Amino acid sequence: MTQIRLKKSNLFKVALYEPDIPQNTAAIVRLCACLNVSLEIIEPCGFLLGDNRFKRIVMDYKNKCVLKSFKNFSDFKKDKKRERIILMTTKAKKKYFNFKFKQNDTILFGRESAGVPKLIHENVDYKLIIPIQKNTRSLNIVTSVAIALSEALRQNYNMKKNEN
């Protein structure tokens, strides 16, 4: 069994740009809660974060996840004064596993239906891709978050075997 020992500095953040599928967002809330990573949501969403149906999907994980929402990308960007924003996109050339993630990075993911607009591409620090087969469009956003986040965690956290 492996135990993760966190460094003392701040954790990573995952950000979702205008998410439109509540089940995916709920799964990402759960992922972030389990991995002790903050989640930031850039609104508007394609659903209401306070809706009872969304709360039911998220279960109690919403209380275990540091969750912050922003009214728009401009407010989100203002909050990132000393943090890098890394956009995961199918339009990037640099592969995620060839990038050095740092703690305090915010890993940004676009809408499931449309990604992010050109304005967002122009206002991020880095753009990375998860390479996939040429005849496929994209991965599910939850899978993409798990892949990118696991690489960021692997690079930055000390792993130590548990004695138990």
Side-chain angles (χ1 to χ4, degrees):
M1 182 177 199
T2 303
Q3 181 179 19
I4 297 175
R5 304 250 175 183
L6 302 177
K7 291 183 179 181
K8 292 181 182 177
S9 60
N10 291 333
L11 299 173
F12 291 99
K13 294 176 185 79
V14 167
L16 304 179
Y17 178 82
E18 299 182 0
D20 46 8
I21 301 176
Q23 296 87 340
N24 285 341
T25 302
I28 294 168
V29 168
R30 187 173 185 166
L31 178 67
C32 288
C34 290
L35 296 178
N36 198 22
V37 172
S38 299
L39 176 60
E40 299 177 338
I41 297 178
I42 303 163
E43 298 194 51
C45 298
F47 55 92
L48 298 174
L49 291 171
D51 184 87
N52 284 334
R53 290 171 292 183
F54 178 70
K55 288 179 182 177
R56 222 179 358 262
I57 298 167
V58 170
M59 300 186 300
D60 63 335
Y61 286 97
K62 188 173 181 185
N63 299 327
K64 297 175 186 340
C65 178
V66 176
L67 184 60
K68 186 174 183 179
S69 64
F70 296 90
K71 289 182 183 178
N72 53 47
F73 184 78
S74 180
D75 288 352
F76 169 77
K77 181 75 171 163
K78 286 177 194 170
D79 190 63
K80 302 294 163 190
K81 294 175 187 156
R82 295 191 177 115
E83 299 172 19
R84 301 187 310 175
I85 301 171
I86 294 97
L87 174 63
M88 301 302 297
T89 174
T90 58
K91 295 174 176 65
K93 294 192 184 324
K94 187 171 182 97
K95 295 175 178 74
Y96 78 99
F97 50 76
N98 290 331
F99 181 78
K100 177 60 179 148
F101 289 95
K102 296 179 182 176
Q103 289 200 359
N104 292 325
D105 282 349
T106 300
I107 308 170
L108 174 62
F109 297 83
R111 295 182 77 181
E112 296 93 335
S113 61
V116 297
K118 185 177 180 181
L119 176 70
I120 307 302
H121 278 271
E122 295 168 351
N123 283 284
V124 298
D125 301 305
Y126 300 96
K127 293 178 257 191
L128 305 176
I129 188 168
I130 298 169
I132 59 174
Q133 293 291 332
K134 296 241 188 260
N135 60 348
T136 59
R137 282 192 330 238
S138 64
L139 295 165
N140 176 278
I141 189 169
V142 181
T143 304
S144 296
V145 172
I147 289 170
L149 191 53
S150 66
E151 178 61 16
L153 292 170
R154 184 195 68 77
Q155 290 181 16
N156 286 275
Y157 291 166
N158 298 325
M159 303 294 281
K160 183 178 180 185
K161 296 243 180 196
N162 188 352
E163 302 291 323
N164 297 334

